[in-house]
Amino acid sequence: MLVHPTGVSPANAEAREHWQATIETPVDFRSGAVAAALTDDDRRALERAHPDGRARFWGTYGRHGSIVRRLAPGDVVVLTGTGHVTGVGRAAFTTQNASLGDALWRNRPREGSYLHVYSLEPFAHAAAPLAGLRDAGVAWFQTPSYIDDHRAAAIIANYPDLIAPLLEDEPASEALFRALQEYEDADDKVATDLSWVREIAIEVVTAGDATVSSRPATTLHRGENLLVHDYVSRLPRAASARRLLTAVGITDLDVWIGGRHELVEAKSSAARHHVRQALAQLLDYAAAMASDPPDVLTALFPHQPDDSAVALLHRYGVDCVFRGGDGAYIRLPAPQEASAAIRRLILVKVPAHT
């Protein structure tokens, strides 16, 4: 998500002129100076994103490149000005093209061209207070900010009537692809950060009933795998580590220390939706071990989830363990009463329905 201050205010005539020219009025990119400024790649991308030949554009200077270059088609953009959120949309096209910037907006000698240009589709005008951004942890409104952590979800939640409708139009296949790509990127980063970790042979054994039919093992992502092995390497010498084959799949890790059984689910991302996945998988595996349930449920992450995600885990009796900056693992234990309650729930026998 990009939060982009527009500079639009009663005192900034130039910003108001730019807003009127390329946001209030969709631009014909098939003719005139704009068409002449497009590269072949830009033209093809714009035609795909805006088949009617018109688009709303916004952009910024080259000095903000380290931030704006992260913007990708499909990302949410929140525009601010006059002390408010003035518009929200999704990036449909992005480019680095100074000639296009010059064709769209006046070149400022001190700042140069608007090198980074993007279009918005869909787009909605707004006049919402900045409080929703501030409450989410965004407090700087002088330059663009790219938000890719827990604050993005908080911003969406704080402006449900503005942003949620933008996300509803995303095809399910595109949403799935973006979610998968996001996790692959997070996993690649963890794999790079832990590339030095020595992998350990972790035995896979059948849990409970020995008649459980063997199922194809789900291969851990490389980053998840290294995170698990690094965690195991830091356990006490008396610990025993295995992976259990259950009726619903193979666990990421099971640890026994002095007769105490810890069930671990690892994720390469601490984003809230991955925290929810870890919670669901832990409960599913634990229920499959109802004849001999684990004593502790643990969700393992490469870094600390946000407070609300940790609270979600704790509500269901799940410990949160994450890798600290010094490489040591930090445990945020769930309240004992929550852990005891979830254990009692796991022990409840539910009749099978056919």
Side-chain angles (χ1 to χ4, degrees):
M1 175 185 294
L2 182 71
V3 177
H4 195 162
T6 64
V8 172
S9 70
N12 192 333
E14 184 177 288
R16 296 200 311 273
E17 174 188 311
H18 291 176
W19 181 271
Q20 182 64 41
T22 63
I23 293 291
E24 294 289 350
T25 309
V27 175
D28 176 2
F29 58 78
R30 291 175 177 165
S31 62
V34 172
L38 297 175
T39 66
D40 290 341
D41 287 345
D42 286 345
R43 186 173 291 103
R44 283 191 291 268
L46 276 170
E47 289 289 351
R48 285 194 301 269
H50 306 279
D52 63 349
R54 304 180 73 83
R56 289 182 168 88
F57 291 99
W58 204 247
T60 191
Y61 306 115
R63 60 187 170 91
H64 300 312
S66 62
I67 298 168
V68 182
R69 274 197 299 269
R70 301 172 67 187
L71 182 69
D75 285 351
V76 171
V77 177
V78 178
L79 300 176
T80 67
T82 63
H84 293 81
V85 171
T86 53
V88 295
R90 298 186 71 176
F93 156 84
T94 65
T95 189
Q96 297 174 58
N97 184 337
S99 296
L100 176 58
D102 290 343
L104 291 167
W105 306 291
R106 193 184 313 166
N107 185 312
R108 298 181 67 183
R110 290 183 60 184
E111 297 284 359
S113 302
Y114 289 85
L115 174 63
H116 302 281
V117 180
Y118 58 86
S119 69
L120 295 166
E121 181 63 38
F123 175 79
H125 289 87
L130 295 179
L133 291 172
R134 291 195 175 100
D135 289 347
V138 179
W140 177 253
F141 300 103
Q142 300 300 315
T143 57
S145 300
Y146 191 83
I147 312 295
D148 61 353
D149 54 22
H150 64 278
R151 293 175 297 168
I155 292 168
I156 293 171
N158 289 345
Y159 297 104
D161 296 335
L162 280 178
I163 300 178
L166 302 176
L167 305 178
E168 291 172 358
D169 294 334
E170 182 174 36
S173 59
E174 182 182 342
L176 177 60
F177 174 80
R178 285 170 56 77
L180 290 173
Q181 188 60 57
E182 172 197 319
Y183 194 75
E184 292 293 341
D185 291 344
D187 190 75
D188 287 346
K189 184 179 186 305
V190 174
T192 299
D193 292 345
L194 298 180
S195 59
W196 51 269
V197 171
R198 182 175 64 87
E199 296 189 48
I200 306 163
I202 301 177
E203 182 183 12
V204 178
V205 299
T206 301
D209 187 352
T211 64
V212 172
S213 59
S214 179
R215 301 185 177 209
T218 300
T219 303
L220 285 173
H221 285 78
R222 176 68 175 162
E224 283 181 9
N225 189 50
L226 292 176
L227 183 65
V228 166
H229 284 266
D230 186 49
Y231 180 68
V232 170
S233 73
R234 296 168 187 272
L235 291 172
R237 292 182 117 185
S240 171
R242 294 177 178 175
R243 297 179 66 199
L244 296 185
L245 171 62
T246 75
V248 296
I250 299 179
T251 63
D252 284 355
L253 182 67
D254 292 81
V255 177
W256 283 265
I257 303 179
R260 175 176 169 270
H261 176 194
E262 176 186 31
L263 171 63
V264 180
E265 177 66 28
K267 290 296 173 188
S268 296
S269 168
R272 187 180 180 86
H273 48 291
H274 296 304
V275 173
R276 292 168 65 187
Q277 288 177 7
L279 172 60
Q281 287 170 280
L282 283 166
L283 295 178
D284 195 24
Y285 287 134
M289 304 175 191
S291 60
D292 186 17
D295 301 290
V296 181
L297 304 181
T298 296
L300 176 64
F301 303 100
H303 52 85
Q304 184 174 2
D306 67 62
D307 291 346
S308 67
V310 174
L312 175 65
L313 293 173
H314 284 178
R315 177 179 292 275
Y316 292 94
V318 176
D319 288 6
C320 177
V321 173
F322 62 93
R323 195 169 187 274
D326 60 355
Y329 285 88
I330 300 168
R331 181 178 295 271
L332 304 177
Q336 288 186 359
E337 58 270 30
S339 299
I342 203 67
R343 184 176 170 83
R344 289 195 299 271
L345 184 62
I346 290 168
L347 289 169
V348 172
K349 293 187 181 298
V350 179
H353 292 276
T354 58

